[in-house]
């Protein structure tokens, strides 16, 4: 069982995270970033992303994986404040997934140089998840996690509701600082 929070925005201690999707499960929390580029994606061994569009134009784009890792720190603060943790009191295990448009071609570096296994096309999510869980849930890990992290469906619902109440939508009417009127000092007479 997983619960899903879409377009989840939180602010803690002056820091904000806008997470495309949060999947809360019994063993893991998945932070998911989505990208809908009408082009082919190249990832180099340094984790740098670029997109080449059908018209031949190529642009560099910020790493959605790095963005998700930044969100993790803020999200873990939220879980700590909401007292959402494993039975032993440790934070939940967070995994990052980047989803691209199903028609994109993803060119990857050698897996020995950079692991890109969590960067996939959106239509492959179910297969990726099944393979991920098979890799992660060996018998020993299952026993340890069963004691440490296993939660009932009701607990997952409670965690999701607690988290959902922390959503802080952006004020779409607020001007960015660069567009706000500047206060000018009154001239002395």
């Amino acid at each position: 069982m997983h619960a899903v929070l879409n377009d989840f925005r939180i602010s803690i201690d002056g820091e904000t995270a806008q997470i495309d999707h949060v999947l809360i499960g019994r063993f893991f929390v998945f932070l998911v970033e989505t990208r809908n580029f009408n082009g082919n994606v190249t990832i180099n061994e340094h984790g740098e992303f670029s997109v080449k569009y059908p018209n031949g134009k190529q642009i560099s784009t910020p790493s959605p994986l790095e963005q998700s890792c930044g969100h993790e720190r803020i999200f873990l603060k939220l879980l700590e404040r909401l007292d959402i943790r494993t039975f032993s009191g440790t934070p939940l295990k967070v995994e990052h997934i980047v989803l691209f448009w199903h028609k994109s071609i993803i060119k990857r570096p050698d897996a020995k140089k950079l692991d890109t296994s969590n960067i996939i096309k959106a239509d492959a999510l179910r297969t990726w998840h099944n393979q991920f869980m098979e890799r992660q849930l060996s018998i020993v890990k299952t026993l340890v996690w069963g004691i440490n992290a296993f939660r009932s469906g009701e607990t997952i619902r409670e965690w999701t509701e607690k988290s959902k109440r922390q959503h802080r939508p952006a004020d779409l009417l607020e001007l960015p600082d660069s567009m706000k009127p500047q206060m000018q000092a009154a001239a002395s007479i």
Side-chain angles (χ1 to χ4, degrees), residues 96-177:
H96 304 276
I97 305 170
V98 177
L99 298 179
F100 281 101
W101 187 42
H102 69 280
K103 291 186 178 181
S104 292
I105 295 173
I106 304 172
K107 261 195 338 197
R108 305 165 187 272
D110 184 320
K112 293 175 189 167
K113 294 184 178 184
L114 181 69
D115 179 12
T116 61
S117 60
N118 290 8
I119 300 169
I120 58 175
K121 294 180 184 182
D123 61 343
L125 181 59
R126 182 180 304 272
T127 300
W128 176 89
H129 181 264
N130 291 341
Q131 291 171 347
F132 174 84
M133 293 308 283
E134 284 177 24
R135 284 191 310 271
Q136 296 298 317
L137 297 178
S138 67
I139 293 172
V140 172
K141 286 181 181 177
T142 301
L143 292 174
V144 170
W145 286 345
I147 294 166
N148 241 349
F150 185 78
R151 298 299 184 154
S152 70
E154 184 58 35
T155 301
I156 302 300
R157 273 189 285 284
E158 288 172 15
W159 285 355
T160 304
E161 288 302 316
K162 281 171 99 172
S163 298
K164 190 165 64 171
R165 287 191 293 271
Q166 302 306 308
H167 173 68
R168 300 293 180 260
D171 181 355
L172 298 177
L173 299 177
E174 184 172 333
L175 293 172
D177 289 340

Side-chain angles (χ1 to χ4, degrees), residues 3 7 11-12 25-27 47 51 66 75 93-94 98 103 114 119 127 144 156-157 160 176 178 180 183 187:
D7 197 22
S11 291
I12 297 179
R26 292 183 166 127
F27 298 103
V51 180
E66 290 300 319
F75 185 74
K93 177 95 170 100
V94 175
V98 177
K103 291 186 178 181
L114 181 69
I119 300 169
T127 300
V144 170
I156 302 300
R157 273 189 285 284
T160 304
S178 62
K180 289 181 181 175
M183 297 297 288

Side-chain angles (χ1 to χ4, degrees), residues 58-76:
Q58 186 166 348
I59 63 164
S60 177
T61 184
S63 168
L65 198 51
E66 290 300 319
Q67 180 183 3
S68 187
C69 290
H71 292 161
E72 177 182 3
R73 185 177 43 75
I74 299 167
F75 185 74
L76 286 174

